[in-house]
Amino acid sequence: PTSSNPECKSKQNVYFLRTHQTGTSSVSNIFYRYGQEHKLNFVMYPLKQHLNYPNILKLVYLENLKPKAGGYNILAQYTRHRQNDILRIMPDGTIFTTLLRSPVDQFLSVFNNFDLKSQIRNLRPHHDPYEEFFRNPEKIAKMSSDAVFHLIQNSMSFDLGLEPKSFKNPSAVDEFIAKIDKEFHLVMILELLDESLILLKRLMCWSLKDVIYVKLSINNEYGDGLSADITSKIREWNAVDQKLYDHFYNKLKATIAQQDDEFSQEVARLKKFNREFSTECYERVTPVYNGNKIGYTLRETHETNRTCKILATDDITQNHAIGLKQFRDKLSPSDVMMVRNHLQNLRKHNPAMLGWSDINNLIEDIPDKNVKTEL
């Protein structure tokens, strides 16, 4: 849609493919929050953030987990995209969306947040690990662990289903990009996140409050001081991701240009509401933890406001909260204790996030009189 339509009916079935190190923590929070507010069902393995990643979906397992009432509504997990698999488990008319980031910044984020310098022996003694890596990237990449090997080169394309054997096949890459263009209703861009979210709002027929967010991770400026030579080598090494990103960046810009005059006003209102919520809810930002995660401290006036807490809650804890409710009859006491311990450890760094009593209230559908619903 090129304009807002207040009479359209909100869509509740959505597939958000999470790509790595692209800002999906903040965006997935939007889908988690919407789904919980509207009592929707999520595609997930109990207490897991991914769906058998980096392998394909276990469809039989997911069918067995499917809620008896209503089936699945939202898939917002790490998985590898295969359209036929998604169509088998999601309802007809499901909206397909994902998020991309500038490949240079995304590669640097993977490199640093997964601590490749420590993980790859050849990089440890070097003052400039990027320079050492690009002396022989194919050889050095193979020294990484299985957990991150698939993230080191063209990982956004890998997440979207392209096999590494096709990275050097131009025709296969072109076919892949055309396929993604056909299968996804909206490919969002981190560098144009607010604009992307207003397009998502219009596509889903949601309200502006449904797409407010606070930053849950920092976009570390790893590129500061990076030489032009290394920047060029990163782009060359991630040439498929660069081509993918350029295609959808240009497409998004063209889509934005087609919007009505109200579009820029909606983007401005979203930015304003995000600032106001942050100012109203949080007293300060705590030091970064777990590499790039942001923690918050609640203002005394909002210590019981569940919306403020949900906005500040990380994606793992959101997964746990949803899993405890959706799979309560499948989890053992030790699973519950694991979640509680994890939560207590995280709240040392992020006091504003949901507490154990908040999660119990969400599980039991206890209403919160302090929830702010007006913007």
Side-chain angles (χ1 to χ4, degrees):
T2 57
S3 62
S4 291
N5 180 3
E7 297 181 2
C8 69
K9 184 178 180 181
S10 63
K11 301 178 180 68
Q12 299 193 328
N13 301 321
V14 60
Y15 161 52
F16 173 57
L17 177 76
R18 293 193 63 177
T19 47
H20 287 80
Q21 301 297 311
T22 58
T24 59
S25 295
S26 296
V27 177
S28 61
N29 191 307
I30 292 170
F31 295 109
Y32 296 150
R33 191 174 74 241
Y34 185 90
Q36 290 178 87
E37 287 178 1
H38 293 82
K39 297 179 172 55
L40 304 179
N41 297 321
F42 291 80
V43 181
M44 59 167 52
Y45 296 164
L47 306 184
K48 299 289 187 182
Q49 250 194 313
H50 62 83
L51 298 170
N52 203 39
Y53 185 90
N55 301 307
I56 62 174
L57 292 174
K58 294 181 178 179
L59 292 175
V60 174
Y61 183 57
L62 288 172
E63 284 293 335
N64 291 333
L65 289 174
K66 182 183 288 188
K68 298 292 189 293
Y72 288 128
N73 304 109
I74 296 176
L75 195 167
Q77 307 289 92
Y78 290 112
T79 186
R80 288 201 70 204
H81 174 66
R82 291 210 313 183
Q83 184 191 36
N84 289 340
D85 289 349
I86 304 304
L87 293 176
R88 283 183 61 182
I89 60 174
M90 294 297 290
D92 292 343
T94 293
I95 297 297
F96 281 47
T97 185
T98 189
L99 180 66
L100 301 179
R101 181 184 186 184
S102 166
V104 172
D105 292 332
Q106 192 268 348
F107 172 82
L108 293 173
S109 187
V110 167
F111 198 99
N112 287 276
N113 291 327
F114 286 91
D115 198 14
L116 296 190
K117 181 176 179 180
S118 297
Q119 188 178 130
I120 300 175
R121 177 170 44 84
N122 284 34
L123 301 180
R124 291 175 197 162
H126 291 274
H127 174 69
D128 188 340
Y130 304 134
E131 185 176 333
E132 177 62 19
F133 179 85
F134 284 109
R135 283 180 57 194
N136 194 339
E138 292 191 6
K139 177 181 178 181
I140 294 178
K142 292 176 182 178
M143 299 178 186
S144 63
S145 70
D146 291 342
V148 298
F149 174 73
H150 49 275
L151 300 178
I152 296 177
Q153 183 181 28
N154 295 317
S155 72
M156 293 186 291
S157 298
F158 179 83
D159 289 345
L160 281 160
L162 186 65
E163 295 298 333
K165 64 183 180 182
S166 297
F167 287 172
K168 295 182 179 180
N169 184 333
S171 60
V173 170
D174 289 342
E175 290 173 9
F176 158 72
I177 293 175
K179 180 174 178 289
I180 297 303
D181 199 339
K182 182 179 179 180
E183 293 174 358
F184 280 77
H185 298 87
L186 174 64
V187 175
M188 297 182 282
I189 298 292
L190 181 62
E191 288 74 18
L192 296 168
L193 183 56
D194 292 324
E195 291 84 352
S196 294
L197 291 176
I198 295 301
L199 291 174
L200 176 71
K201 166 194 169 291
R202 291 182 168 196
L203 179 63
M204 299 297 295
C205 294
W206 288 358
S207 70
L208 199 61
K209 82 175 183 67
D210 291 326
V211 295
I212 62 172
Y213 67 96
V214 298
K215 290 181 66 173
L216 297 177
S217 58
I218 59 172
N219 298 326
N220 289 312
E221 302 298 328
Y222 296 122
D224 288 353
L226 204 66
S227 70
D229 179 57
I230 293 298
T231 300
S232 177
K233 287 178 178 177
I234 292 174
R235 288 199 177 98
E236 183 180 352
W237 174 246
N238 294 282
V240 179
D241 271 2
Q242 189 66 57
K243 191 168 189 177
L244 176 77
Y245 176 85
D246 289 344
H247 173 86
F248 285 106
Y249 181 91
N250 292 331
K251 180 177 181 179
L252 189 71
K253 291 287 285 186
T255 302
I256 292 170
Q258 295 169 358
Q259 301 302 300
D260 62 5
D261 293 339
E262 192 180 336
F263 180 80
S264 60
Q265 298 172 23
E266 286 192 80
V267 173
R269 283 201 294 272
L270 177 59
K271 292 178 185 289
K272 179 174 179 286
F273 289 157
N274 285 337
R275 288 195 304 270
E276 288 179 349
F277 245 84
S278 292
T279 300
E280 184 175 331
C281 288
Y282 312 116
E283 189 171 47
R284 63 186 176 88
V285 177
T286 65
V288 174
Y289 66 101
N290 287 1
N292 69 335
K293 299 298 182 183
I294 297 175
Y296 295 89
T297 300
L298 287 168
R299 293 188 180 279
E300 287 187 15
T301 53
H302 287 68
E303 286 181 348
T304 59
N305 188 299
R306 190 188 293 172
T307 300
C308 294
K309 294 180 180 182
I310 290 175
L311 283 168
T313 299
D314 66 286
D315 49 343
I316 296 176
T317 302
Q318 290 276 20
N319 264 273
H320 287 168
I322 294 166
L324 286 172
K325 182 175 183 177
Q326 191 163 309
F327 303 108
R328 63 171 72 188
D329 59 337
K330 294 180 172 65
L331 299 175
S332 67
S334 61
D335 290 328
V336 177
M337 184 58 67
M338 180 273 292
V339 172
R340 186 168 186 170
N341 291 339
H342 174 81
L343 182 66
Q344 289 173 339
N345 287 332
L346 281 184
R347 290 195 83 233
K348 296 175 185 176
H349 305 284
N350 186 11
M353 66 185 286
L354 291 168
W356 186 245
S357 61
D358 300 307
I359 288 180
N360 276 325
N361 289 342
L362 287 170
I363 293 171
E364 301 300 332
D365 287 325
I366 298 174
D368 184 355
K369 297 178 181 179
N370 294 300
V371 169
K372 176 171 179 168
T373 56
E374 298 295 330
L375 289 175

